[in-house]
């Protein structure tokens, strides 16, 4: 699976959009990107993004206030910025109940008197018209006046539970997100979806996840509670069963849960899909750390340590240098031989313009065909070049090249919480809790400062060298790349012959494009031919490369190997040679795209022809005379039968078709057998 190709440029675009949307870089300018990654937003897009960011900040502040028991502060924020929430008496009743509990929790006589006033003035009137069961709940919560928080056997122990705060905070977040259209950036939603699909696939296949140590910490187990529709929405016209099942299986909902989600979204499948994805929670500090590591690796932000709450730099270098630093975010992805098919569909359409049925567009993050045909045979051994005269000489030449590119990089500012929405002073208890969490996180993730600073210089030099060579390759200056790598490490191309072939291939095509066929053939005879002789897998690419001699000069180079792919392959190979592993985010992307594609392939194979009634062929035999197993395409499975089995048994579509295939497409027989 490590060798699966990835379209770095598509991923770059998604990640840069994420860091800009979340204001994680110091200014609003676009980080330095390759020519193929144009990310300059229009004024309208920028304005919309800023509005969404402010709304997300508001939601975070309200969530934090409720989670820390500051209900009055949350109500004040809602009254000023989102009064529609308080107009929903169901939500207002929920908040007032928690406010009553929090006043009692403080324990003073004054606060107890305030709690009784809350009962009289707020909670009792709200209970009368919140919902039918509200008055019974009101009478039940009065018991909190008699049974205190320490009584674990009391009938109101659940009302005292801190879990109640989290549930209310999550419910408010779900409602606010939908009403304010404050959805997370595309990359965050896509990653949630991919990881969810990956975990479900591994569970159903009974195989261990190669990235479980990352995903278990990155994707939190608890989801925000769903935003329930108003009673008037229950009279909405019935939804298309295909939409219901698509939503249910895309985000693991029951059928009724999918219907409620569609009701809340007024039948908008795309909006319902986004609402459900955003209910899945990510560990924000860890997510930011993985994104920061990626941005440093790709040269978008400066190589520096940032003391921002909940985020510390963790470059996944070799173990001798990183030590504790990368301990909390390190994993290895198992080997795999299956390649993902490419796609030209824009990844930006996955969530914002698509639906649960269009999730296959995620394949655009996969790499182009060229990278798949010429995989780099990188060495995973330790490198002893750092500190040698050759290394320093190449590094010095590289620094001259990188001056302009380095100046374009942005400074990583991290996730600094905005306090402009706070209507009153932040409670000291909340502030202390946050500071304690941040301090503990720093202690866990960062090695002693003196040790860390000692290794920074050498690691930064390595990154600058790799980025400089990548820049040369992206400009087509492959002769200089080969010269500098040979000067630094004469054994590199011995262990990476396919990469040398690609570099010389570019040189050959450039010469053909300029009309210098004599020199081009000299390169082919000196390098491409001998490499293909020693490595038969390069013989086919050699033949295809020589065909450029038959084309007009101006077409010879432009139609061949994309330089961005070569530059990315080179960066990975040289980085590993210097002890700089790929960002851990790449391990997640590769593994989840693999299982996403495998899951889609299984469904496609199972549903091929399922919408049409086909004749049964259970008695068909193979050419060797052995009987074949019946499949969905061999059995009469019409759409009505499939939906009936899916609905009654709450099964995925592929499983429903598999069962129908065993019972000649008869839905009634399947259901009877299951419940027999």
């Amino acid at each position: 699976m490590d060798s699966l190709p990835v379209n770095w440029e598509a991923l770059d675009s998604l990640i840069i959009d994420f860091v800009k949307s979340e204001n994680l870089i110091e200014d609003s300018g676009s980080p330095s990107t390759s020519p193929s990654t144009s990310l300059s937003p229009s004024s309208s897009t920028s304005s919309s993004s800023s509005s969404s960011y402010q709304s997300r900040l508001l939601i975070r502040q309200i969530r934090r206030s409720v989670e820390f028991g500051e209900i009055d502060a949350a109500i004040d924020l809602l009254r000023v910025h989102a009064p529609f929430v308080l107009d929903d008496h169901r939500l207002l009743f929920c908040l007032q109940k928690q406010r009553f509990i929090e006043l009692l929790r403080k324990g003073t006589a004054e606060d107890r008197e305030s709690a009784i006033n809350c009962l009289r003035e707020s909670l009792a009137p709200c209970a009368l018209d919140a919902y039918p069961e509200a008055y019974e709940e009101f009478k039940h919560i009065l018991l909190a006046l008699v049974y205190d928080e320490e009584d674990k056997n009391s009938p109101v122990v659940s009302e005292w539970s801190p879990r109640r705060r989290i549930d209310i905070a999550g419910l408010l977040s779900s409602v606010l997100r939908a009403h304010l259209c404050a959805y997370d950036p595309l990359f965050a939603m896509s990653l949630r979806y991919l990881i969810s699909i990956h975990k479900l696939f591994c569970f159903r296949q009974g195989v261990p996840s190669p990235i479980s140590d990352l995903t278990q910490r990155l994707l939190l187990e608890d989801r925000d509670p769903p935003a329930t529709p108003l009673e008037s929405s229950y009279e909405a016209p019935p939804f298309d069963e295909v939409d219901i099942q698509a939503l249910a299986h895309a985000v693991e909902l029951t059928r009724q849960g999918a219907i409620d989600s569609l009701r809340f979204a007024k039948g908008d499948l795309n909006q319902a899909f986004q609402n459900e994805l955003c209910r899945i929670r990510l560990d924000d500090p860890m997510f930011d750390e993985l994104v920061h590591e990626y941005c440093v690796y790709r040269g978008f932000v400066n190589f520096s340590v940032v003391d921002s709450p909940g985020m510390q730099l963790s470059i996944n270098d070799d173990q001798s240098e990183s030590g504790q630093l990368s301990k909390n975010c390190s994993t290895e992805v198992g080997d795999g031989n299956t390649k993902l098919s490419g796609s030209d569909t824009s990844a930006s359409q996955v969530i914002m313009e698509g639906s649960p049925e269009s999730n296959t567009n995620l394949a655009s993050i996969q790499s182009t065909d060229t990278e798949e045909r010429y995989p780099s045979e990188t060495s995973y051994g330790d490198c002893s070049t750092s500190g040698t005269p050759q290394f320093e000489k190449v590094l010095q030449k590289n620094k001259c090249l990188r001056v302009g590119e380095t100046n374009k990089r942005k400074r990583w500012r991290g996730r600094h919480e905005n306090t402009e929405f706070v209507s009153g002073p932040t409670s000291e208890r909340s502030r202390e809790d946050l500071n304690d969490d941040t301090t503990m996180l720093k202690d866990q993730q960062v090695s002693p400062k003196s040790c860390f600073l000692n290794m920074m210089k050498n690691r930064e030099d390595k990154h600058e060298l790799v980025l400089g060579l990548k820049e040369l390759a992206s400009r087509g200056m492959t002769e200089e790349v080969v010269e500098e790598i040979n000067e630094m490490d004469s054994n590199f191309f011995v262990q990476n012959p396919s990469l040398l072939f690609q570099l010389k291939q570019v040189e050959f095509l450039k010469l053909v494009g300029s009309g210098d066929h004599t020199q081009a053939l000299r390169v082919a005879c000196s390098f491409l031919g001998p490499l293909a002789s020693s490595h038969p897998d390069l013989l086919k690419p050699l033949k295809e490369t020589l065909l450029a001699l038959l084309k007009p000069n101006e077409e010879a180079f432009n139609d061949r190997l994309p330089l961005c792919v070569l530059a990315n392959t080179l960066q990975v190979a040289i980085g590993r040679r210097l002890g700089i592993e790929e960002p851990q985010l790449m391990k997640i992307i590769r593994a989840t795209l693999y299982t996403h594609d495998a899951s889609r392939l299984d469904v496609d194979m199972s549903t091929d022809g399922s919408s049409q009634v086909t004749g049964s062929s259970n008695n068909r035999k193979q050419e060797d005379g052995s009987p074949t197993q019946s499949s969905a395409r061999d059995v009469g499975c019409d759409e009505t039968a499939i939906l009936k089995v899916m609905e009654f048994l709450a099964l995925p579509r592929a499983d429903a078709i598999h069962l129908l295939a065993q019972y000649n497409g008869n839905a009634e027989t399947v259901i009877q057998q299951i419940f027999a």
Side-chain angles (χ1 to χ4, degrees):
M1 203 174 297
D2 264 336
S3 61
L4 291 177
V6 172
N7 186 330
W8 288 83
E9 276 63 41
L11 190 55
D12 288 349
S13 296
L14 289 171
I15 288 180
I16 294 178
D17 172 73
F18 171 80
V19 300
K20 289 169 62 180
S21 298
E22 293 290 3
N23 202 23
L24 295 174
I25 51 179
E26 192 166 62
D27 57 38
S28 59
S30 298
S32 170
T33 62
S34 61
S36 61
T37 310
S38 176
L39 297 170
S40 300
S42 64
S43 58
S44 61
T45 303
S46 178
S47 175
S48 175
S49 176
S50 175
S51 175
S52 179
Y53 173 68
Q54 294 299 317
S55 296
R56 292 197 301 275
L57 281 181
L58 172 64
I59 294 171
R60 288 174 192 157
Q61 185 62 48
I62 292 173
R63 178 191 285 272
R64 179 169 288 103
S65 296
V66 174
E67 288 179 343
F68 284 121
E70 302 293 338
I71 308 301
D72 284 327
I75 291 176
D76 289 344
L77 287 170
L78 290 168
R79 184 175 293 114
V80 174
H81 300 285
F84 61 85
V85 172
L86 301 181
D87 291 338
D88 186 337
H89 287 189
R90 301 172 307 168
L91 297 175
L92 181 59
F93 178 67
C94 186
L95 281 168
Q96 293 294 357
K97 280 203 306 179
Q98 194 62 34
R99 177 170 173 253
F100 168 71
I101 289 293
E102 298 303 335
L103 287 169
L104 288 179
R105 199 191 305 270
K106 292 180 180 179
T108 67
E110 181 181 353
D111 290 319
R112 191 175 185 84
E113 187 65 30
S114 297
I116 294 174
N117 288 335
C118 174
L119 284 174
R120 293 172 179 166
E121 299 171 6
S122 302
L123 194 53
C126 192
L128 295 176
D129 57 1
Y131 46 87
E133 301 84 5
Y135 193 68
E136 287 300 320
E137 292 180 17
F138 167 73
K139 291 190 293 183
H140 180 73
I141 205 171
L142 291 176
L143 295 174
L145 292 167
V146 179
Y147 299 96
D148 62 26
E149 185 177 5
E150 302 303 322
D151 188 348
K152 302 304 179 183
N153 296 317
S154 76
V156 287
V157 64
S158 62
E159 303 291 348
W160 286 108
S161 172
R163 178 73 208 182
R164 185 60 61 91
R165 292 176 175 177
I166 297 173
D167 290 341
I168 296 173
L171 175 61
L172 289 174
S173 298
S174 296
V175 172
L176 288 166
R177 264 194 307 266
H179 281 284
L180 300 176
C181 294
Y183 299 112
D184 291 332
L186 176 62
F187 179 63
M189 287 195 287
S190 299
L191 195 64
R192 286 182 175 99
Y193 177 71
L194 285 171
I195 293 177
S196 298
I197 290 292
H198 173 80
K199 293 175 71 173
L200 185 62
F201 177 85
C202 292
F203 173 76
R204 287 181 173 171
Q205 298 294 323
V207 297
S209 167
I211 54 171
S212 59
D213 59 332
L214 283 173
T215 57
Q216 286 176 2
R217 288 181 292 122
L218 181 59
L219 198 69
L220 303 181
E221 288 294 329
D222 294 331
R223 298 188 183 190
D224 286 341
T228 55
L230 294 172
E231 291 183 6
S232 59
S233 300
Y234 283 89
E235 298 178 2
F239 304 110
D240 191 321
E241 187 66 29
V242 173
D243 288 350
I244 295 172
Q245 296 299 333
L247 181 61
H249 299 300
V251 287
E252 297 181 71
L253 292 176
T254 63
R255 184 176 183 275
Q256 187 57 52
I259 292 174
D260 289 342
S261 184
L262 284 168
R263 279 176 176 154
F264 182 77
K266 296 180 173 61
D268 188 329
L269 179 61
N270 180 45
Q271 184 180 347
F273 186 41
Q274 293 180 82
N275 289 341
E276 295 303 324
L277 281 178
C278 288
R279 284 179 53 209
I280 303 172
R281 299 186 61 186
L282 290 172
D283 184 319
D284 286 335
M286 181 181 178
F287 187 30
D288 291 350
E289 184 178 348
L290 293 175
V291 170
H292 183 222
E293 180 189 24
Y294 182 94
C295 289
V296 170
Y297 183 88
R298 296 291 285 169
F300 300 149
V301 300
N302 293 325
F303 188 101
S304 59
V305 182
V306 181
D307 292 326
S308 60
M311 207 295 298
Q312 291 293 330
L313 173 63
S314 176
I315 299 299
N316 190 11
D317 240 326
D318 57 80
Q319 291 299 319
S320 62
E321 290 187 342
S322 60
Q324 269 301 112
L325 193 62
S326 61
K327 176 182 177 183
N328 293 330
C329 286
S330 60
T331 187
E332 292 297 333
V333 179
D335 294 329
N337 300 319
T338 306
K339 302 284 186 181
L340 296 180
S341 59
S343 172
D344 296 328
T345 309
S346 172
S348 64
Q349 299 174 356
V350 177
I351 305 295
M352 305 310 292
E353 299 177 10
S355 70
E357 294 177 296
S358 64
N359 59 63
T360 54
N361 293 341
L362 286 164
S364 66
I365 301 177
Q366 295 160 207
S367 183
T368 57
D369 178 63
T370 308
E371 185 179 353
E372 186 174 353
R373 281 189 297 140
Y374 310 142
S376 172
E377 298 175 9
T378 54
S379 168
Y380 296 87
D382 187 24
C383 177
S384 59
T385 57
S386 60
T388 64
Q390 293 89 344
F391 179 88
E392 298 297 337
K393 184 177 179 181
V394 174
L395 178 62
Q396 192 60 39
K397 291 169 63 179
N398 240 259
K399 282 183 177 179
C400 297
L401 170 70
R402 293 295 301 173
V403 169
E405 291 299 316
T406 302
N407 290 338
K408 294 179 183 178
R409 296 182 196 163
K410 304 304 175 185
R411 182 178 179 276
W412 183 272
R413 67 185 295 273
R415 192 181 294 274
H416 294 274
E417 294 301 334
N418 193 312
T419 59
E420 66 182 89
F421 296 112
V422 180
S423 56
T426 304
S427 75
E428 290 302 318
R429 178 161 56 88
S430 300
R431 195 185 302 275
E432 290 172 4
D433 288 343
L434 285 175
N435 290 337
D436 290 344
D437 290 344
T438 302
T439 301
M440 183 175 64
L441 189 61
K442 289 181 179 179
D443 292 340
Q444 290 176 346
Q445 294 182 342
V446 181
S447 55
K449 185 175 181 180
S450 58
C451 298
F452 180 73
L453 293 178
N454 287 338
M455 71 176 75
M456 284 289 289
K457 178 65 177 175
N458 188 36
R459 293 171 58 199
E460 185 172 2
D461 286 346
K462 288 181 179 181
H463 277 273
E464 291 298 337
L465 174 59
V466 173
L467 290 171
L469 292 172
K470 172 177 173 282
E471 184 66 24
L472 285 174
S474 67
R475 297 180 185 179
M477 302 169 67
T478 54
E479 295 173 80
E480 290 82 352
V481 171
V482 173
E483 178 185 347
E484 294 197 8
I485 291 177
N486 280 329
E487 189 174 351
M488 180 187 72
D489 182 3
S490 58
N491 292 323
F492 177 79
F493 287 123
V494 174
Q495 298 169 335
N496 295 271
S498 63
L499 192 51
L500 177 60
F501 182 91
Q502 293 176 62
L503 291 166
K504 288 299 178 180
Q505 181 188 40
V506 171
E507 184 180 343
F508 171 86
L509 294 171
K510 284 174 62 179
L511 291 168
V512 172
S514 66
D516 191 349
H517 290 185
T518 301
Q519 190 62 30
L521 287 173
R522 187 170 300 160
V523 171
C525 294
S526 302
F527 295 96
L528 301 182
L531 283 169
S533 297
S534 303
H535 304 277
D537 57 311
L538 297 176
L539 189 58
K540 181 180 178 181
L542 174 60
K543 294 176 182 178
E544 295 174 350
T545 302
L546 293 175
L547 289 176
L549 293 169
L550 306 179
K551 296 184 178 181
N553 294 343
E554 61 273 11
E555 297 181 11
F557 180 67
N558 294 333
D559 292 347
R560 297 300 299 169
L561 184 68
L563 292 177
C564 60
V565 175
L566 175 59
N568 295 332
T569 304
L570 179 70
Q571 179 183 13
V572 173
I574 291 292
R576 285 181 173 173
R577 185 64 175 145
L578 293 176
I580 303 171
E581 290 294 328
E582 288 182 89
Q584 296 167 96
L585 199 54
M586 293 301 299
K587 298 175 181 178
I588 297 175
I589 293 296
R590 282 199 171 94
T592 55
L593 279 178
Y594 170 79
T595 50
H596 171 270
D597 192 75
S599 299
R600 180 171 59 85
L601 183 61
D602 287 345
V603 172
D604 288 346
M605 291 180 64
S606 298
T607 59
D608 184 18
S610 62
S611 61
Q612 299 177 355
V613 178
T614 58
S616 176
S617 56
N618 292 335
N619 296 325
R620 188 183 60 188
K621 295 185 177 181
Q622 298 178 0
E623 292 181 1
D624 60 359
S626 60
T628 62
Q629 288 187 335
S630 62
S631 65
R633 67 185 65 184
D634 301 324
V635 181
C637 299
D638 60 21
E639 193 67 21
T640 302
I642 295 171
L643 292 175
K644 182 180 292 187
V645 173
M646 291 172 66
E647 177 180 349
F648 274 87
L649 303 181
L651 290 174
R653 183 181 180 86
D655 292 347
I657 292 174
H658 180 69
L659 282 173
L660 285 167
Q662 298 179 40
Y663 294 98
N664 297 320
N666 191 309
E668 286 75 13
T669 303
V670 171
I671 295 170
Q672 289 173 6
Q673 290 297 321
I674 294 297
F675 287 103

